[in-house]
Amino acid sequence: MPRHIHLIATGGTIAGTGQAGKTSGYEAGSLPVRSLLDTLPPLPEDLQLTAEQLCSIDSNQVDSALWLRLARHINQLAQTDIDGFVITHGTDTMDETAYFLNLTVKTEKPVILTGAMRPSTAASADGPLNLYQAIHLAAKPEAAGKGILVCFCDSIYSGRDVQKVNTYKTDAFNEKDLSCLGYMRDDQCYFLNASLAVHTTASRFDVSGLKELPRVDILYFYAGAPADALDFYASRARGLVIAGTGSGNYSPQWVEKIRQLSRLCIPVIRSSRIGHGIVSRDPHFEGSDNCIPAYTLPPQKARILLSLALTVTDSYAEIEEIFRKY
Ligand code: ASP
């Protein structure tokens, strides 16, 4: 039986076109999925590829409505004879989509995100090789049960820890201190690590009946940042994430303001703007039970987890437990 891989195209630079040869000044998401398929070398006979165009956008237009649609779509298709999925996606928010799907997709089948840093019309466009490797990875039994994966520039990353770390180089992703899960060489995969965080079939988040995600906003702390910004966001959002300095730190004025938000039942996640390391419990900066460390999640992923956590609980203790495990 051939392995059936289904490609879901959403746009991004991999589907971008611009001035011949140039890597900048292009339009993302302008190429249809059939043109992406034309860039592939012939696939082996035991691999059957189907494809669809879900949308054609720059990934800065991705929102929670699209995430819900995508997760539900994959959950439905996963009930069919499809053996694995590839999603082409813009790189700017790929780490967020990968983490959202890691928490909400209910299948052990491989789900691989990929994209490109250079548009299809650039000299040495990186999209064709990334797509070729992602399709082969999606067909590998070794890629099953590992959560959502990102395949990019010869490396395999976990949806939990992957992050974009370079603004324009083709090797634009890593897992920060954690490196990667493994490597691709042509059509072969070599796994070295696995993420231990809860994902996919073990995740408690169910988006099947969810109309929208609770609003959670991110506030960036910097020297002298006024604490009244917290009031502004607290009046609009169900939860907040602070991108703090160092190990998730901020001023005494922010500590005091966050303590006041406890009375309004607003959970606040302490994360860091640094990008490496861990934010763990620190009573000095938390100062109240509504304030919960992000552990190793960066602000943009802590935002997703808090939003999903608020669909199942309002309990600060339970939210903290979720942050420890997911
Ligand atoms: N702005 C593009 C996007 O995220 C960047 C990329 O795909 O590399 O859609």
Side-chain angles (χ1 to χ4, degrees):
M1 277 284 278
R3 304 279 288 172
H4 177 184
I5 305 306
H6 186 64
L7 169 63
I8 302 173
T10 70
T13 295
I14 191 168
T17 51
Q19 222 180 317
K22 291 251 197 293
T23 61
S24 61
Y26 60 90
E27 197 188 333
S30 53
L31 216 57
V33 65
R34 63 177 178 279
S35 304
L36 292 188
L37 300 181
D38 288 343
T39 67
L40 292 170
L43 294 171
E45 274 175 14
D46 61 356
L47 206 155
Q48 181 207 344
L49 184 66
T50 52
E52 67 174 299
Q53 188 84 51
L54 189 76
C55 55
S56 298
I57 56 174
D58 183 296
S59 75
N60 293 288
Q61 293 167 256
V62 168
D63 58 14
S64 54
L66 183 69
W67 283 341
L68 291 172
R69 191 173 146 214
L70 188 55
R72 286 189 197 122
H73 189 47
I74 295 171
N75 285 339
Q76 264 179 4
L77 291 178
Q79 310 299 321
T80 69
D81 69 343
I82 293 172
D83 296 299
F85 298 87
V86 173
I87 303 166
T88 53
H89 194 289
T91 59
D92 286 344
T93 62
M94 190 185 291
D95 60 345
E96 294 182 54
T97 298
Y99 188 49
F100 181 80
L101 296 177
N102 203 49
L103 297 170
T104 56
V105 158
K106 304 289 180 201
T107 183
E108 302 259 305
K109 294 178 179 180
V111 179
I112 319 292
L113 277 90
T114 196
M117 290 299 287
R118 295 177 179 159
S120 65
T121 42
S124 283
D126 53 331
L129 182 61
N130 286 345
L131 182 57
Y132 171 81
Q133 292 187 337
I135 290 168
H136 281 281
L137 181 60
K140 299 277 190 278
E142 299 99 299
K146 292 196 164 60
I148 307 304
L149 301 174
V150 168
C151 180
F152 211 95
C153 197
D154 305 314
S155 297
I156 307 165
Y157 302 104
S158 77
R160 166 73 169 57
D161 295 309
V162 69
Q163 210 172 308
K164 188 171 181 180
V165 292
N166 198 283
T167 56
Y168 82 102
K169 290 185 178 178
T170 52
D171 194 6
F173 288 85
N174 69 30
E175 295 190 11
K176 303 158 291 167
D177 341 30
L178 305 173
S179 176
C180 64
L181 296 190
Y183 297 112
M184 291 298 295
R185 189 75 206 246
D186 298 326
D187 56 353
Q188 295 303 308
C189 67
Y190 302 90
F191 277 98
L192 306 164
N193 299 307
S195 169
L196 297 179
V198 178
H199 60 72
T200 55
T201 50
S203 167
R204 64 186 284 195
F205 304 117
D206 176 7
V207 295
S208 55
L210 214 59
K211 289 205 175 56
E212 57 183 21
L213 288 173
R215 176 167 169 176
V216 172
D217 288 326
I218 300 172
L219 283 93
Y220 198 96
F221 181 79
Y222 51 91
D228 57 7
L230 285 150
D231 290 324
F232 177 84
Y233 285 100
S235 66
R236 287 159 175 78
R238 293 241 343 253
L240 302 178
V241 173
I242 313 289
T245 57
S247 53
N249 307 329
Y250 34 78
S251 65
Q253 290 86 346
W254 278 45
V255 172
E256 180 48 36
K257 186 62 78 180
I258 289 166
R259 188 174 292 137
Q260 290 167 17
L261 295 180
S262 177
R263 290 199 286 275
L264 302 175
C265 298
I266 305 229
V268 178
I269 306 298
R270 262 180 69 231
S271 68
S272 172
R273 65 186 204 182
I274 297 289
H276 286 68
I278 188 164
V279 174
S280 51
R281 272 231 160 268
D282 184 339
H284 178 71
F285 287 102
E286 285 152 15
S288 52
D289 60 356
N290 64 328
C291 193
I292 294 157
Y295 298 100
T296 53
L297 287 178
Q300 71 274 23
K301 291 191 179 185
R303 191 191 83 82
I304 291 169
L305 185 56
L306 178 57
S307 183
L308 284 168
L310 287 168
T311 65
V312 294
T313 183
D314 286 324
S315 149
Y316 298 143
E318 217 178 318
I319 294 173
E320 163 137 28
E321 187 64 11
I322 288 171
F323 270 81
R324 279 179 177 277
K325 291 186 176 159
Y326 289 73

